[in-house]
Amino acid sequence: MSPMKPVVIVTPFHESQIQAAIYCSKESGIQIRVRSGGHDYEGLSYVSEIPFAIVDVRNLRSISIDTKNKTAWVETGATLGQLYYTIASKSITLAFTAGVCPTVGVGGHMSGGGYGMMSRRHSIAADHIIDAKLIDADGQILDRKSMGEDLFWAIRGGGGTSFGIVVAFKIELIVIPQTVTVFNVTRTLEQNATQIVHRWQYVADKIDENLLMRLFLRSITSSRNGKRTIGAFFTSLYLGRVDDLLPIMQDKFPELGLVKEDCTEMPWIESVLFFAGFPRNTSLDVLTSTVPLVRPYFKGKSDYVTEPIPEHGLKGIWKFLDEEIVNNAELEFSPYGGRINDYSESEIAFPHRTGNIFMINYVVHWDTPGKKESERHVNWIRKLYNYMAPYVSKSPRTAYINYRDLDIGMNNEGNTSFKQASVWGFKYLKNNFRRLVRVKTEVDPSNFFRNEQSIPPLS
Ligand code: FDA
């Protein structure tokens, strides 16, 4: 909740209106915040401490699919759900690899990477951007050719905001089988969750790349005895048929005890609904909705894990999840490996490649407004984050820029030195941060496009 409201919200229908907003902003000194799907974890697309205007690109959401060349132009005001829906309406064997939540916006998501259920087989969204239309700080409309390879490199994973307003991305679509298999399986502490989660860490990034087993850890009430316990919730997509999946699971991860009855075969587009939590047979039309699926108050943080967390480390996590104040907290373990590692760390600005077993997203939600409630929950997640330090990547302790977290460092309102921004910059972007600063200095030396964690230019 921010006391500061935007001076104006601009919802352009045409690029020229974005150019006009940029000129007006320069003349009036009112900062611009750019909003696509509005899912920024810290609300940086619509919250500011200084007078600001929002350029909300929600009306720029056209999607044109070229099935012959397996490409698409997607405007950044579209959501992921709208993109998936439109692709599926044209072809049953084409898809796109990006995030799970259908109301996430294309603009922010693809600018920061874009991890989803097919990422072990097809890597992340930003790896499939092949052209873009961007309006820079001078109001010029640029494409890949006119912006040059440095800027085009920067907007693929370097995070939203810093380099201009992206109006559209051209993406290459991926080919998928007509039928995929999904499963959700929960194991509690009484069902050896600790040992199974421990074992998962040795399997998740190495198993067949058509399989992505995401793992959510939460405190739950056991259906057997009504007592609180820890639930390890495996939610998975296999790009193939169940009869091919089962032998893989039997061979590599028998500890989970997956059986055919746990699995459901469906077209890929229905799996999008499945992972978004919609009941079976929900109309695909829900994917076109822009009403966020998130609850009002939450705080998130992230980490990367390069060595399996020992069982005693996991037991410490259970203690945190068992605390009474956090009925609505979870850790999401998202496996890496597979095709994510086919790219070098510097191929595009998104740097998290070989060496990562999985990424952790820590999330805590609450419903009641007020400082006390928010402090209680935020303190809890910060304590958990401190506890995790020995078990996650170090020097730097890396984080995912799309899981924005202002705790790891911020820019000043005025100039920010390279040294100061390095504190968060290297965590999100590793060594690519240096090149991003160089590109920023070149294309936006006056730091027109900025927020609390935008790439600063060298002064
Ligand atoms: P928003 O509009 O808030 O923008 C985010 C940032 O990008 C802001 O800094 C904004 O200024 C900038 N920006 C937006 N549009 C721009 C444009 N056109 N040009 C330039 N800059 C622009 N991530 C993931 O990888 N996989 C997942 O499965 C999920 N799932 C998920 C679920 C939920 C419920 C949430 C809240 C978030 C996720 N995310 C995620 C994280 C998500 O990828 C991240 O928050 C994105 O930045 C959101 O993009 P939006 O456009 O929705 O946000």
Side-chain angles (χ1 to χ4, degrees):
M1 301 295 278
S2 164
M4 194 81 158
K5 299 296 170 210
V7 176
V8 61
I9 301 174
V10 183
T11 52
F13 284 88
H14 191 267
E15 292 146 9
S16 61
Q17 294 163 337
I18 298 182
Q19 293 172 307
I22 291 172
Y23 301 140
C24 288
S25 157
K26 284 193 164 167
E27 220 157 83
S28 61
I30 292 171
Q31 198 190 92
I32 282 184
R33 293 286 162 133
V34 190
R35 186 185 183 281
S36 166
H39 280 54
D40 189 288
Y41 270 26
E42 299 277 5
L44 298 191
S45 52
Y46 54 89
V47 175
S48 172
E49 296 296 313
I50 58 164
F52 70 111
I54 299 176
V55 173
D56 185 323
V57 294
R58 67 179 62 203
N59 294 319
L60 295 169
R61 54 167 187 271
S62 80
I63 299 167
S64 60
I65 313 279
D66 178 348
T67 49
K68 190 161 155 259
N69 291 307
K70 302 190 183 76
T71 59
W73 270 104
V74 51
E75 287 188 328
T76 48
T79 62
L80 297 182
Q82 290 165 349
L83 175 62
Y84 298 153
Y85 178 91
T86 311
I87 299 171
S89 68
K90 303 272 184 221
S91 164
I92 193 173
T93 52
L94 290 178
F96 191 63
T97 173
V100 176
C101 175
T103 54
V104 163
V106 162
H109 183 70
M110 293 197 194
S111 300
Y115 174 98
M117 293 305 295
M118 298 194 288
S119 284
R120 297 200 60 253
R121 176 68 181 84
H122 293 289
S123 197
I124 56 160
D127 285 327
H128 296 271
I129 298 173
I130 51 176
D131 203 341
K133 194 193 270 187
L134 171 135
I135 305 188
D136 72 6
D138 295 323
Q140 301 181 91
I141 301 177
L142 306 171
D143 65 4
R144 177 174 186 168
K145 197 156 171 237
S146 53
M147 77 177 76
E149 283 303 305
D150 263 355
L151 180 50
F152 184 61
W153 172 87
I155 59 172
R156 288 175 291 160
T161 295
S162 302
F163 302 97
I165 301 182
V166 182
V167 180
F169 285 117
K170 185 177 186 186
I171 53 176
E172 53 187 9
L173 304 178
I174 57 165
V175 178
I176 45 152
Q178 286 195 11
T179 304
V180 303
T181 305
V182 301
F183 66 86
N184 280 341
V185 169
T186 304
R187 297 288 179 259
T188 62
L189 292 185
E190 297 70 28
Q191 295 166 312
N192 290 335
T194 310
Q195 293 72 25
I196 297 173
V197 172
H198 185 246
R199 176 76 193 131
W200 172 89
Q201 302 176 90
Y202 289 87
V203 177
D205 64 319
K206 297 178 193 70
I207 203 162
D208 188 314
E209 62 193 22
N210 287 304
L211 175 61
L212 191 146
M213 287 184 287
R214 224 170 172 199
L215 173 55
F216 292 3
L217 303 167
R218 327 177 163 125
S219 171
I220 59 166
T221 304
S222 164
S223 54
R224 281 192 189 169
N225 55 17
K227 287 193 181 152
R228 246 166 101 108
T229 182
I230 300 300
F233 178 75
F234 295 84
T235 183
S236 312
L237 173 68
Y238 177 66
L239 293 171
R241 309 293 301 242
V242 65
D243 289 340
D244 296 323
L245 167 66
L246 289 173
I248 296 171
M249 291 298 286
Q250 194 47 46
D251 181 34
K252 304 288 186 207
F253 196 23
E255 297 82 355
L256 187 62
L258 187 78
V259 292
K260 198 167 185 172
E261 293 66 40
D262 295 323
C263 304
T264 313
E265 291 186 334
M266 56 180 69
W268 164 75
I269 192 66
E270 286 181 26
S271 79
V272 171
L273 293 182
F274 177 85
F275 294 115
F278 291 105
R280 198 82 211 273
N281 298 325
T282 302
S283 162
L284 291 179
D285 293 343
V286 293
L287 293 176
T288 59
S289 164
T290 52
V291 180
L293 301 173
V294 274
R295 289 170 45 202
Y297 307 102
F298 85 103
K299 168 76 186 155
K301 299 176 83 67
S302 66
D303 259 320
Y304 280 89
V305 176
T306 54
E307 298 288 337
I309 302 170
E311 283 191 20
H312 65 84
L314 295 174
K315 286 178 183 161
I317 298 176
W318 307 160
K319 283 194 193 136
F320 275 90
L321 288 174
D322 203 29
E323 281 181 33
E324 215 47 59
I325 63 150
V326 286
N327 275 324
N328 290 301
E330 71 182 11
L331 284 80
E332 300 171 7
F333 287 5
S334 298
Y336 269 53
R339 294 289 166 94
I340 298 174
N341 295 349
D342 281 2
Y343 301 78
S344 77
E345 288 194 353
S346 58
E347 193 137 340
I348 63 168
F350 175 91
H352 307 288
R353 308 288 182 175
T354 304
N356 294 305
I357 304 177
F358 61 99
M359 167 175 72
I360 304 181
N361 182 19
Y362 310 87
V363 191
V364 62
H365 297 265
W366 62 101
D367 293 315
T368 325
K371 203 169 165 206
K372 215 171 134 204
E373 271 300 276
S374 89
E375 270 178 8
R376 244 155 55 98
H377 290 86
V378 173
N379 286 343
W380 176 85
I381 204 170
R382 285 181 181 152
K383 267 200 273 167
L384 170 61
Y385 185 75
N386 289 342
Y387 164 79
M388 291 298 290
Y391 305 118
V392 297
S393 62
K394 296 171 190 66
S395 309
R397 182 173 179 176
T398 49
Y400 178 32
I401 199 165
N402 267 351
Y403 294 155
R404 175 101 56 202
D405 177 10
L406 293 181
D407 290 353
I408 66 172
M410 270 197 269
N411 294 331
N412 304 327
E413 179 25 43
N415 286 345
T416 301
S417 68
F418 177 82
K419 195 169 165 216
Q420 183 182 336
S422 298
V423 175
W424 57 265
F426 281 94
K427 290 183 172 137
Y428 284 145
L429 299 153
K430 300 177 97 172
N431 270 329
N432 292 343
F433 183 66
R434 290 179 206 282
R435 183 170 170 196
L436 286 162
V437 170
R438 282 204 301 275
V439 178
K440 174 75 175 179
T441 309
E442 181 98 351
V443 303
D444 183 19
S446 71
N447 206 15
F448 175 76
F449 289 112
R450 64 183 187 279
N451 65 26
E452 289 80 349
Q453 277 185 346
S454 56
I455 308 290
L458 291 172
S459 54

